[in-house]
Amino acid sequence: MKKTLSLISIVLLANFIYAQPGSQQFITSGDFTVPTGVTSITIEVVGGGGGGGINGTGGGGGGGYSLGTYSVTPLAIIPVTIGAAGGTGTAGGTTIVGAFNQATGGGPGIWVPNPEVGGGGAGGIGSGGTLNYIGGEGGGGYYTYFGGGGGGAAGSLGNGSNGGDTIPWTGICQTPGGSGGAGGGIPGGSGGKGAGFTDTFCNITNPSANGMPYGGGGGGGNGNGGGPGMGYSGYALISWGSGPCSNPSNLTAFNIQFTSAMLDWTENGTATTWNIEWGFSGFTLGTGNPQVVLAKPYLLEGLMPNTSYDYYVQADCGGTTSSWSGPVTFETDVLGTADNAIDGFTYYSNPMQEVLHLRANSTIESVVIYTISGQKVIDQNIGTTTTQLIVSNLSTGAYLMKVVSAGQTGIYRLIKK
């Protein structure tokens, strides 16, 4: 009897271990084996991006997107087909996971007769899931001169954006081609730009760009050696556990200062830990600055003034993670010279030496002094109408002072001798 109970205990323990939350990513085709003890999986797929056409044709369409949760049998083997990247004038492939859900690839860019602008490939379509979105269409090219932009792939936040149309021929070649469309949220990638020229006589090519990961459409080529961009291949993510880890939504940035910003988002599940990745606007996810966040809203510091940043957020559900949401773009404040002066506020002496004296008609709430490069060197809460700051330890040079008094904000330039 004891041996029987021990054997049952071992089996139950094995099922418990293998049924813990997890995920498997596919960027090439293969098979997925359902782990022991798992009876439900969540599948996210993106179709391959279409390729741009040659000689002033349209951009390729972006791949479609689908997300759904399905019942499965432990140890079942499920085939996963990843949609191929569209090459020159060819469509992107369809990403399929078993008999569950799929996302078709974007259509190819094609040629249209002079004097029309068009030929962008159709966007791919997601199907079979609870969320199904459509990739952006490729932008139109013009005859043999300029290529259209590739369409953005659909993603976790919605449909991909259409690629930009190029301009018609006006007798001058100098045009960059159509712009690439934005992806519909991670993991859907943006489309590539179309080919154009940087000179007026069609001799110097402004090249097209490939679609971005995953499923972005390639830009169309031009008619003087500027080849088209390729689409990007598709993607699949299979995750399992007690339930899917929901994507954060409603990403915002507020209370933006010279070197910091408050970041917040809506948690749509039960996550209490999140991953943030941030960097200069336009950075590729995976190359930015990672941060683990245990509470929100989150104060992001160490930024540069007058600079545009992007950030993404991912929920961590303890063993499995959501898809990335974002990006959201924000720009830090500009360090100026007395752009916002406070009525009745005075300060002396300037240039500074040992002490800086401040006086205001209303209570001075706070004072922050920055270097010209945006580094914070003094940060004090005041609470009176007069005060003095010890500045003897500051290096010689120029500084900016931010003063808050009675709801007003003033920016003042200082010099340290």
Side-chain angles (χ1 to χ4, degrees):
M1 183 65 177
K2 289 183 179 178
K3 290 183 178 179
T4 302
L5 289 175
S6 297
L7 180 60
I8 293 172
S9 298
I10 291 171
V11 173
L12 290 176
L13 178 60
N15 284 342
F16 173 76
I17 292 171
Y18 285 103
Q20 295 304 298
S23 63
Q24 184 173 347
Q25 175 180 276
F26 289 84
I27 56 176
T28 59
S29 299
D31 289 330
F32 172 74
T33 301
V34 179
T36 300
V38 170
T39 58
S40 177
I41 58 175
T42 297
I43 304 172
E44 181 179 44
V45 293
V46 178
I54 62 173
N55 293 348
T57 50
Y65 173 90
S66 179
L67 173 74
T69 300
Y70 311 91
S71 297
V72 292
T73 302
L75 301 181
I77 298 175
I78 302 172
V80 178
T81 301
I82 299 300
T88 300
T90 60
T94 300
T95 297
I96 308 171
V97 178
F100 300 108
N101 61 341
Q102 66 175 38
T104 61
I110 61 174
W111 176 84
V112 295
N114 185 34
E116 298 176 18
V117 171
I125 299 173
S127 61
T130 52
L131 287 179
N132 300 294
Y133 295 124
I134 301 173
E137 296 178 359
Y142 180 77
Y143 196 43
T144 63
Y145 289 100
F146 317 120
S156 56
L157 300 181
N159 298 331
S161 297
N162 295 339
D165 292 337
T166 190
I167 65 171
W169 167 255
T170 61
I172 297 177
C173 279
Q174 194 168 8
T175 181
S179 58
I186 300 298
S190 299
K193 66 172 288 298
F197 296 97
T198 61
D199 68 316
T200 58
F201 300 106
C202 307
N203 292 317
I204 304 174
T205 292
N206 185 322
S208 63
N210 297 329
M212 298 293 289
Y214 293 95
N222 66 24
N224 194 14
M230 290 185 60
Y232 205 97
S233 55
Y235 171 86
L237 177 69
I238 303 176
S239 56
W240 60 92
S242 58
C245 192
S246 300
N247 295 352
S249 60
N250 301 321
L251 278 62
T252 59
F254 62 98
N255 194 21
I256 300 170
Q257 306 294 324
F258 300 132
T259 60
S260 67
M262 293 294 292
L263 311 181
D264 201 7
W265 53 90
T266 298
E267 169 54 38
N268 294 309
T270 59
T272 57
T273 302
W274 302 270
N275 300 314
I276 286 179
E277 189 169 325
W278 62 275
F280 296 122
S281 188
F283 81 93
T284 300
L285 190 63
T287 65
N289 303 289
Q291 195 82 37
V292 177
V293 176
L294 302 179
K296 68 183 193 73
Y298 175 71
L299 177 62
L300 179 62
E301 299 183 285
L303 308 178
M304 297 172 58
N306 193 26
T307 303
S308 183
Y309 290 93
D310 288 346
Y311 84 94
Y312 298 81
V313 178
Q314 178 189 61
D316 185 337
C317 299
T320 187
T321 56
S322 73
S323 298
W324 287 94
S325 296
V328 163
T329 302
F330 64 92
E331 187 166 336
T332 50
D333 281 354
V334 178
L335 290 174
T337 57
D339 342 67
N340 300 298
I342 298 174
D343 294 337
F345 174 77
T346 59
Y347 59 100
Y348 67 93
S349 56
N350 187 30
M352 308 177 290
Q353 292 185 349
E354 304 294 323
V355 178
L356 179 65
H357 299 269
L358 310 179
R359 178 184 297 274
N361 293 338
S362 302
T363 298
I364 301 171
E365 298 167 19
S366 63
V367 177
V368 183
I369 296 180
Y370 301 87
T371 64
I372 291 300
S373 64
Q375 180 184 2
K376 189 185 298 184
V377 292
I378 293 178
D379 186 355
Q380 292 187 15
N381 294 323
I382 307 301
T384 62
T385 57
T386 62
T387 191
Q388 57 185 32
L389 303 177
I390 305 301
V391 294
S392 56
N393 61 331
L394 298 183
S395 301
T396 300
Y399 295 85
L400 289 207
M401 177 174 63
K402 178 181 177 181
V403 180
V404 178
S405 175
Q408 291 183 288
T409 299
I411 307 295
Y412 303 90
R413 182 175 291 273
L414 304 174
I415 300 294
K416 175 65 165 57
K417 282 190 172 181

